Amino acid sequence: MSNAPRLTALDALHRSLGATMTDFAGWDMPLRYGSERDEHNAVRTRAGLFDLSHMGEITLTGPEAVKVLDYALVGNISTVGVGRARYTHICREDGGILDDLIVYRLGETEFMVVANASNAQVVLDALTERAAGFDAEVRDDRDAYALIAVQGPESPGILKSLTDADLDGLKYYAGLPGTVAGVPALIARTGYTGEDGFELFVAPEHAVALWQALTEAGEGVGLVPCGLSCRDTLRLEAGMPLYGHELTTDLTPFDAGLGRVVKFEKEGDFVGRAALEAAAERAEGKAPRKLVGLIAEGRRVPRAGFPVVAGGEVIGEVTSGAPSPTLGKPIAMAYVDAEHAAPGTSGVGVDIRGTHEPYEVVALPFYKRQK
């Protein structure tokens, strides 16, 4: 087995654009092309182009594919209409989150599960194991797709110039097959930036042509290529969790404030049901910690793992932190004790290398786009 990072179909193109590359979840990915602040602001005000080909696509087909997913995941997948998508979690028997996922229903008996790159193999193994005894096939399609995202307020106009697919009729969290710049694609209105945008699943051999067509179509409206660094600050401002930070196997969806994704009303058993029912009861009593937003009063940036403090006591821990280009201040997401979780709670700080820097507690998200 080679330990060299995997390359996406766009690797040579990223290098030709002068991207700073980094190893991410076993893939060589662009971190930034120029200024991550400029890339971030482009997505908020114009449009950005992302290579997300490291994400893990897993296809389920067969008469009982939906039953597999209802058993394997915490969501109610049988209620997802053809052409729609749903955000959900896959949990362990003890309720711990293995990954957060998007499930696309491509047909009555065909689904695509998109897992995080770092967890794709874990999710594939779990789905394969949980499908035993069902009339369904689980297929590893990670090599079958490249994934390109165009995100930002100008993205609908850019895409419309390249496709005759009905983008106006395409709702948030929906997908339809179409042709973009002559390339067959699954066009999904999903994203991880807090902006309107699209994710385009295409065959790897079409990725370069599609990227170049999108680049040309976006030239007049300020589209720029964007790396993982601004993807992280964009999702942080939008209050979106990142696996390994806000979500881990030590937490249930209820601990993460995402209990709404668990559907106890669906038919039949599902993996983790009993543990999650207990977690739901605990959460109703009083969650031990809550996920909140923190905005710095000063300039020092909090990082994952830094203690959150109040009155000389540790009351929580930062899960993600970064300078926010939109707010112009450092921000963080953190799990804090329930009694310090209310927006406006005074006396809360972050211990940054021995100094208790003052922070304002706010409700998530930090940023919400104007519809």
Side-chain angles (χ1 to χ4, degrees):
M1 282 287 287
S2 163
N3 286 331
R6 296 179 69 177
L7 307 181
T8 79
L10 294 160
D11 184 73
L13 198 148
H14 297 317
R15 292 169 197 279
S16 74
L17 292 171
T20 300
M21 305 296 286
T22 188
D23 184 347
F24 182 80
W27 290 82
D28 221 5
M29 297 297 294
L31 189 63
R32 70 182 74 80
Y33 297 84
S35 150
E36 51 208 49
R37 177 181 293 268
D38 290 349
E39 291 171 26
H40 177 111
N41 291 333
V43 176
R44 285 276 177 261
T45 58
R46 303 186 305 278
L49 193 57
F50 296 83
D51 179 9
L52 305 180
S53 303
H54 60 311
M55 300 296 281
E57 295 88 4
I58 301 159
T59 302
L60 281 86
T61 54
E64 293 189 315
V66 71
K67 286 188 176 177
V68 172
L69 291 169
D70 273 342
Y71 170 68
L73 311 179
V74 301
N76 192 350
I77 307 306
S78 58
T79 60
V80 179
V82 173
R84 298 307 302 265
R86 179 142 319 153
Y87 173 82
T88 187
H89 292 172
I90 182 167
C91 291
R92 300 193 307 195
E93 198 66 68
D94 66 2
I97 303 166
L98 282 172
D99 200 15
D100 62 334
L101 313 161
I102 295 179
V103 180
Y104 296 89
R105 189 167 199 161
L106 305 180
E108 278 301 324
T109 60
E110 184 180 5
F111 297 82
M112 181 169 68
V113 174
V114 181
N116 284 298
S118 54
N119 296 328
Q121 190 64 48
V122 168
V123 173
L124 177 66
D125 292 345
L127 288 174
T128 303
E129 185 183 314
R130 295 173 190 188
F134 290 95
D135 186 3
E137 182 198 350
V138 178
R139 189 172 73 231
D140 179 359
D141 268 348
R142 284 177 287 180
D143 292 337
Y145 291 104
L147 178 56
I148 295 173
V150 54
Q151 298 277 304
E154 297 286 354
S155 58
I158 292 167
L159 203 53
K160 272 181 191 170
S161 71
L162 297 173
T163 183
D164 56 7
D166 177 20
L167 297 187
D168 290 334
L170 187 63
K171 295 183 172 74
Y172 186 52
Y173 266 71
L176 84 169
T179 303
V180 182
V183 170
L186 172 67
I187 306 166
R189 200 164 208 154
T190 45
Y192 195 49
T193 62
E195 298 299 335
D196 191 10
F198 303 87
E199 295 184 321
L200 307 170
F201 295 86
V202 299
E205 60 267 24
H206 294 146
V208 170
L210 180 58
W211 179 283
Q212 288 171 334
L214 287 161
T215 299
E216 284 167 26
E219 263 170 1
V221 291
L223 173 85
V224 300
C226 294
L228 289 174
S229 190
C230 83
R231 181 169 145 92
D232 192 49
T233 52
L234 289 160
R235 71 91 196 166
L236 178 55
E237 287 183 351
M240 294 176 168
L242 174 64
Y243 195 88
H245 290 256
E246 288 72 41
L247 308 175
T248 70
T249 50
D250 293 333
L251 298 169
T252 72
F254 294 95
D255 297 323
L258 291 167
R260 64 181 181 277
V261 306
V262 182
K263 304 299 182 188
F264 293 121
E265 70 275 15
K266 66 178 172 175
E267 279 184 35
D269 194 18
F270 62 90
V271 177
R273 181 193 270 273
L276 289 167
E277 282 172 344
E281 274 182 39
R282 286 197 305 274
E284 272 180 28
K286 203 174 193 186
R289 285 192 166 174
K290 288 191 171 170
L291 188 64
V292 300
L294 299 173
I295 300 179
E297 292 179 22
R299 307 303 308 166
R300 296 182 74 188
V301 178
R303 298 296 182 192
F306 284 13
V308 182
V309 292
E313 299 288 317
V314 174
I315 57 150
E317 186 176 297
V318 171
T319 53
S320 296
S324 163
T326 306
L327 277 65
K329 296 175 179 179
I331 59 171
M333 285 201 272
Y335 283 108
V336 301
D337 294 348
E339 55 267 34
H340 294 94
T345 301
S346 60
V348 173
V350 175
D351 183 341
I352 300 182
R353 298 182 183 86
T355 307
H356 291 188
E357 300 283 341
Y359 274 74
E360 180 191 355
V361 179
V362 298
L364 293 168
F366 300 97
Y367 166 86
K368 207 164 191 172
R369 72 182 170 97
Q370 303 302 307
K371 297 286 186 214

